[in-house]
Amino acid sequence: MTDLKKDYQKILASVQKPVIGEAGKTGTWSRLKPVIDLEKCIPAKSGKFICFNCWLYCPEAVVSREIPPKINLEYCKGCGICMEECPVNAISMEEVKFE
Amino acid sequence: MNRNFSREVENNMVNVLEIVEDEYIHPGTRMCAGCAMSLIYRFALKALGPKTILTVPASCLTVLHGMQGFCTTKLSVLHTPFATTGASASGIVASLEEKGLADEICVVAFAGDGGTTDIGIQALSGAAERGTNFIYACYDNEAYMNTGVQRSGSTPLGAFTATTPGGKTRPKKNMPKILEAHGISYVATANGSYPLDLYEKFKKARDIKGTRYIHILSACPPGWGYDPKDTIRIGRLANDTGFWPLYEISNGKFALSQPSKKFLDPAKRKDIEQYLSAQKRFSNISKQDIETYRNYIRDQWNEIKRRLENQ
Ligand SMILES: Cc1ncc(C[n+]2csc(CCOP(=O)(O)OP(=O)(O)O)c2C)c(N)n1
Ligand code: SF4
Ligand code: SF4
Ligand code: SF4
Ligand SMILES: [Mg+2]
């Protein structure tokens, strides 16, 4: 095998693997975490697939589009966008103990 | 709090539930909390789907993809030297054409404003002039953010950066206009605060042939100086003040996009000071510069109005 071919095989062998948490548990970046009040949340209250602003605007894609929406706090960076964009103020940022 | 939750949803062609549920970026990236570019990339990839090859020059977006050995995205991404984005896309397209895969696989260049308006402009202009069959997306956070907020050609007038400590003295370069002058098949503007509009534009661009250019305003908490929770609100102000109109130009035909339509009426626009005063980078902006903004916005919309009337 020529050296060039060997180099090419090395490159192929180092193809990167997609992983969750490439930067570690980004949930540790913030003490404050979003907590959804299910008494206020529109889909949780109505049982209808409407709203999901928290799912739509989350830059980290850690909110699920289900009833009720769930937030993966292991990777949520605590930016607070979901709190700001919730139309009925159902989300508050609270100190959540994170292991 | 956003009381208008259904504003974008109702006015738009797509509903939140019609958006592809698959995510192409794994959580736990290195991007700052509240980064609009993360949101933009998330929706762009949803619209583009798995049969996409990306090429990305040095930028925050490089860092999003991760360090050696592991990556965050499930699509094929080529990391290319700064000035070469347009050329590398041309190379990928040529190889797909040779293999007979050009109709199936979409080639997308995704670059920052520094990589687009300054460093990569030559390669991009060349690719656009050749009518290379690819999408070029620029996420515009209005400075070289990854290296610590240096001014770029896309930094707006009066903005503080590490290299414009007294505020930038020149206005923002109008990159979509430059690309339009190449006579390419599709040019659109977008904004991270309108992910549904952005999603539609990427979906549309995917099905068009030739060079397609999408320029996306991308709010950046540390670079612009505001609280991460306000990312969507700040981007919305850029739209509502008339500073960053959303439009698309398909084969020369100009159309305003839904979130910007009503701002043809100057009375509906918010004053630009609301946008500027919400960001620390403009904290020392002069009265004269604010007036320049007002005139710029007025002229920009007069031009849009004339264009809509005469086409
Ligand atoms: C040829 C070359 N010059 C300089 C750099 C250093 N560099 C890496 S990222 C970057 C900033 C890119 O700015 P932009 O394109 O606006 O993307 P952003 O970081 O703002 O997302 C610079 C200057 C480099 N990697 N290569
Ligand atoms: S934005 Fe608020 S109301 Fe809407 S789904 Fe999320 S928590 Fe519920
Ligand atoms: S705080 Fe930010 S990262 Fe966490 S769920 Fe809300 S929007 Fe997503
Ligand atoms: S510096 Fe700005 S663009 Fe870069 S990751 Fe942070 S928020 Fe995003
Ligand atoms: Mg930039």
Side-chain angles (χ1 to χ4, degrees):
Chain A
M1 217 174 348
T2 63
D3 281 353
L4 201 65
K5 264 196 177 155
K6 268 190 212 149
D7 283 352
Y8 185 63
Q9 291 211 327
K10 260 193 229 154
I11 292 169
L12 280 183
S14 76
V15 163
Q16 309 196 331
K17 284 191 199 65
V19 291
I20 299 173
E22 193 279 327
K25 301 258 183 209
T26 48
T28 58
W29 288 10
S30 166
R31 278 187 301 118
L32 294 178
K33 289 287 155 54
V35 176
I36 303 178
D37 180 349
L38 297 181
E39 307 263 290
K40 286 189 191 162
C41 168
I42 299 169
K45 242 173 70 177
S46 66
K48 290 190 183 136
F49 271 97
I50 44 174
C51 186
F52 294 109
N53 267 11
C54 46
W55 173 85
L56 182 69
Y57 293 109
C58 174
E60 309 302 323
V62 293
V63 185
S64 68
R65 200 171 64 186
E66 60 183 330
I67 302 175
K70 289 191 193 71
I71 303 175
N72 180 351
L73 296 184
E74 254 185 314
Y75 295 103
C76 160
K77 291 174 182 169
C79 66
I81 288 178
C82 53
M83 172 196 67
E84 280 297 306
E85 297 307 318
C86 175
V88 293
N89 235 349
I91 302 180
S92 53
M93 301 301 286
E94 291 172 20
E95 206 159 317
V96 175
K97 283 263 181 308
F98 180 78
E99 304 307 315
Chain B
M1 189 169 81
N2 167 24
R3 294 202 178 270
N4 277 330
F5 81 89
S6 53
R7 185 175 70 176
E8 210 209 336
V9 179
E10 270 172 13
N11 291 342
N12 245 286
M13 315 53 94
V14 280
N15 180 289
V16 174
L17 297 176
E18 286 167 31
I19 291 185
V20 172
E21 186 134 31
D22 296 343
E23 300 288 347
Y24 292 97
I25 312 164
H26 282 303
T29 68
R30 287 163 205 268
M31 297 298 91
C32 308
C35 172
M37 179 266 276
S38 297
L39 183 64
I40 289 163
Y41 201 47
R42 181 184 161 212
F43 279 91
L45 297 192
K46 276 171 176 288
L48 293 165
K51 290 194 172 178
T52 303
I53 297 179
L54 290 129
T55 172
V56 175
S59 57
C60 283
L61 184 55
T62 313
V63 181
L64 179 144
H65 290 102
M67 300 290 166
Q68 190 149 22
F70 301 102
C71 67
T72 56
T73 46
K74 302 174 196 168
L75 302 178
S76 298
V77 182
L78 173 77
H79 291 282
T80 195
F82 228 145
T84 66
T85 317
S88 74
S90 300
I92 299 169
V93 170
S95 118
L96 289 174
E97 277 168 359
E98 185 65 27
K99 292 185 164 77
L101 293 168
D103 286 337
E104 198 183 329
I105 295 171
C106 185
V107 178
V108 181
F110 227 110
D113 53 294
T116 303
T117 67
D118 304 333
I119 299 173
I121 192 170
Q122 181 277 134
L124 167 58
S125 176
E129 188 273 331
R130 293 188 296 273
T132 302
N133 186 26
F134 80 126
I135 297 175
Y136 190 108
C138 169
Y139 69 93
D140 184 1
N141 51 24
E142 302 190 318
Y144 290 83
M145 292 308 178
N146 189 46
T147 39
V149 201
Q150 293 82 22
R151 68 90 98 181
S152 78
S154 206
T155 301
L157 179 71
F160 169 93
T161 67
T163 51
T164 53
K168 195 184 173 200
T169 55
R170 294 285 302 154
K172 182 179 174 74
K173 188 189 277 194
N174 194 330
M175 200 63 187
K177 261 193 174 172
I178 294 172
L179 267 292
E180 192 199 341
H182 286 72
I184 58 178
S185 52
Y186 185 75
V187 175
T189 57
N191 179 334
S193 297
Y194 301 89
L196 300 180
D197 175 71
L198 180 137
Y199 180 82
E200 279 291 281
K201 282 170 176 162
F202 272 90
K203 268 195 107 76
K204 191 165 176 179
R206 201 187 194 285
D207 295 333
I208 298 173
K209 289 267 170 294
T211 305
R212 296 87 87 191
Y213 181 77
I214 305 179
H215 195 112
I216 313 141
L217 190 69
S218 180
C220 166
W224 294 12
Y226 65 84
D227 192 301
K229 73 176 171 42
D230 293 324
T231 284
I232 308 297
R233 185 173 75 86
I234 298 281
R236 233 180 242 135
L237 278 170
N239 182 62
D240 295 354
T241 53
F243 173 67
W244 187 252
L246 299 182
Y247 61 81
E248 51 186 353
I249 306 164
S250 306
N251 289 318
K253 193 167 174 359
F254 182 97
L256 276 172
S257 311
Q258 197 54 264
S260 297
K261 261 188 189 155
K262 69 173 180 202
F263 301 112
L264 255 183
D265 176 359
K268 297 250 163 66
R269 286 173 222 150
K270 291 181 174 157
D271 187 65
I272 188 67
E273 245 188 302
Q274 290 191 38
Y275 176 64
L276 302 173
S277 64
Q279 304 168 56
K280 288 203 191 82
R281 63 177 170 155
F282 294 114
S283 52
N284 289 324
I285 194 167
S286 66
K287 287 219 159 59
Q288 197 192 330
D289 281 354
I290 297 175
E291 244 351 89
T292 307
Y293 268 101
R294 291 201 180 104
N295 295 337
Y296 168 81
I297 291 169
R298 184 199 58 215
D299 294 349
Q300 160 167 274
W301 282 91
N302 284 341
E303 198 182 313
I304 290 175
K305 195 157 177 259
R306 270 199 307 278
R307 196 161 176 179
L308 287 169
E309 284 164 0
N310 294 330
Q311 73 181 357

